[in-house]
Amino acid sequence: MNDAGTGTRLLRVLACSTVALAPVEGYLIAVHPHLAKVPVVLLAVVWAVVRFRARRAPVPHPVHLVLLVLTATVLAAAAVHVAEPFALAYTLRWLPFVLTTVILIDLVSREVPIRALLAAAVAGAVVAGGGALYSLVVEGKTRASGPMTDPNDLSYVLVAAVPLVVALVPEERRRGRAVAVLAAVVLIAGAAATFSRGGGLALLAATIWLVARRAVPLRVLAGVGAVVLGLGAVAAWLSGTELARASSEKAFIAQSNVDTRELRWQIAARMLADSPVFGTGPGGFRSEYTPVSRLAEIGEQTPVAHNMYLEVGAELGLPGLLAFFGVLAVAGLATERALRHGADRRLVVPLQASLLAVLVASLFLSQQYYLALWFVVALACAAELMTRRRETVEHARPARDQ
């Protein structure tokens, strides 16, 4: 019993640490290139040992089959393109995310409270949001970056965390509500400081979803918006020149960014059409971009596609793209099934909004290698498993009482 309790506590700590540290992995990498991998590795090892000792397999869910198919397509594409320069490195980026998703689904359905993971995710994102504001206000950067080199990626991480704050708002305690509002303000302000248009669209989509499904009262939304606008006004008053310069620079490069992304999307679509079965292999978009585009970008030889779906299709082929879509679809359907079977709407609807934010932001970014995507997929599927288990217990209780 003592060993089991120790294993459970350790799994909870490692799971929360993995989720909390993901948004600030840039800070960890600055300390040591491999430091960001430590929590994930420890979590996988401890989880495997605990499950092996208890002789317990992961709780089954339909997403496991789809993840298996996705893994098979990644390995097949990598095997066909094993000689490509990025094939091995990007295969080793895919597999840990798939494994982490399986682990988180299993842990949330058994040992780890789902709100503990949500709190960890929000806490890590708030630190990243604080870093974004610090880089803009104190370091004088024209676009906030914080723990990430690309402001767009940072915006994605922050925006995906905003709906999760809603799931953590307590019904009665005013202090808890104030903390939640403060967290939301930091996340939204940090995302705004990146000047990411894709992040803004993702936040808008998530907000509309939360309001439409009555997860957020309009007065709360208006209050948060007023605070953010107030902070923006103060920032404009204190650093008006710097903000004007940042806005001007963003506007100057905006059209260039649009043209560049359209070009990369066309090249990714061409790669998929030319290699529909195995694609160009993991990381193949980067290695094949220059020859396929005929050196269209002299200043960028190994770019990303800036569209998650096109990049996955270009690298893994049509089977891999369909499997990837399958993972996202299963997660979305899992949340709806959980709601139909009586799951807590205050928990599940924010998960849906976060998933929607991820899907919208990924139209403009390559985000398959960030935990925010896989985290919300895992929790969506785990929410269904939790609801199913609760129903089983409730149905079995009258039979035992007779």
Side-chain angles (χ1 to χ4, degrees):
M1 291 293 292
N2 187 39
D3 289 344
T6 300
T8 297
R9 288 192 293 271
L10 186 56
L11 283 172
R12 288 176 178 174
V13 170
L14 290 174
C16 290
S17 299
T18 298
V19 171
L21 292 175
V24 294
E25 66 175 12
Y27 293 148
L28 301 178
I29 293 173
V31 176
H32 190 279
H34 301 298
L35 185 58
K37 302 174 184 176
V38 173
V40 179
V41 173
L42 289 177
L43 175 63
V45 170
V46 173
W47 174 78
V49 170
V50 170
R51 290 293 179 262
F52 177 78
R53 294 182 63 180
R55 301 294 192 273
R56 298 177 70 181
V59 180
H61 188 276
V63 78
H64 290 139
L65 178 59
V66 189
L67 287 171
L68 181 62
V69 174
L70 177 61
T71 301
T73 61
V74 171
L75 294 176
V80 171
H81 299 282
V82 67
E84 295 294 332
F86 298 111
L88 178 59
Y90 275 74
T91 300
L92 295 178
R93 293 184 73 179
W94 270 105
L95 300 183
F97 285 114
V98 174
L99 177 60
T100 302
T101 304
V102 172
I103 292 173
L104 290 178
I105 293 172
D106 188 45
L107 291 179
V108 173
S109 63
R110 282 175 169 157
E111 293 103 337
V112 182
I114 190 169
R115 281 189 168 83
L117 281 181
L118 289 173
V122 170
V126 167
V127 173
L133 296 175
Y134 180 87
S135 67
L136 185 75
V137 176
V138 178
E139 296 180 347
K141 294 185 177 180
T142 55
R143 294 183 67 192
S145 56
M148 298 182 181
T149 56
D150 190 331
N152 294 311
D153 291 335
L154 177 60
S155 176
Y156 160 86
V157 171
L158 299 180
V159 167
V162 171
L164 304 182
V165 177
V166 178
L168 298 173
V169 177
E171 291 187 271
E172 298 179 354
R173 290 180 297 175
R174 292 185 177 180
R175 181 178 298 179
R177 292 181 181 180
V179 171
V181 170
L182 178 60
V185 168
V186 171
L187 293 173
I188 295 172
T194 65
F195 295 93
S196 171
R197 292 166 296 175
L201 290 174
L203 180 60
L204 177 62
T207 302
I208 292 173
W209 185 268
L210 290 171
V211 172
R213 305 211 70 171
R214 300 180 180 179
V216 176
L218 288 177
R219 66 179 184 278
V220 174
L221 184 64
V224 172
V227 173
V228 173
L229 290 176
L231 290 176
V234 172
W237 178 57
L238 295 176
S239 307
T241 304
E242 290 77 4
L243 290 177
R245 179 165 57 90
S247 299
S248 177
E249 290 182 5
K250 177 63 178 178
F252 178 76
I253 65 173
Q255 186 57 48
S256 175
N257 285 344
V258 170
D259 295 340
T260 298
R261 290 186 180 185
E262 288 181 353
L263 173 63
R264 294 181 187 179
W265 295 349
Q266 292 172 7
I267 299 302
R270 187 185 307 170
M271 290 179 182
L272 175 58
D274 292 343
S275 304
V277 179
F278 296 108
T280 58
F285 179 84
R286 297 188 65 188
S287 59
E288 295 299 312
Y289 179 75
T290 296
V292 173
S293 68
R294 298 180 181 178
L295 200 60
E297 292 184 66
I298 298 178
E300 184 58 80
Q301 302 294 304
T302 57
V304 296
H306 276 293
N307 181 298
M308 180 174 71
Y309 315 106
L310 287 173
E311 187 166 310
V312 169
E315 296 185 352
L316 304 184
L318 188 58
L321 180 59
L322 292 176
F324 187 70
F325 277 136
V327 172
L328 302 176
V330 169
L333 292 173
T335 59
E336 284 300 318
R337 286 193 294 266
L339 288 174
R340 285 201 301 268
H341 290 278
D344 187 352
R345 290 182 58 84
R346 293 178 300 126
L347 178 68
V348 177
V349 174
L351 284 176
Q352 293 178 327
S354 181
L355 179 60
L356 179 61
V358 168
L359 298 182
V360 172
S362 297
L363 289 169
F364 312 98
L365 301 169
S366 299
Q367 298 299 319
Q368 63 269 35
Y369 304 116
Y370 285 90
L371 187 60
L373 165 67
W374 304 97
F375 171 74
V376 72
V377 166
L379 264 60
C381 297
E384 182 189 10
L385 289 177
M386 292 166 57
T387 306
R388 192 188 306 168
R389 183 180 63 184
R390 187 190 64 196
E391 278 192 329
T392 301
V393 172
E394 290 177 352
H395 291 161
R397 187 174 296 130
R400 291 198 301 269
D401 293 341
Q402 291 178 352

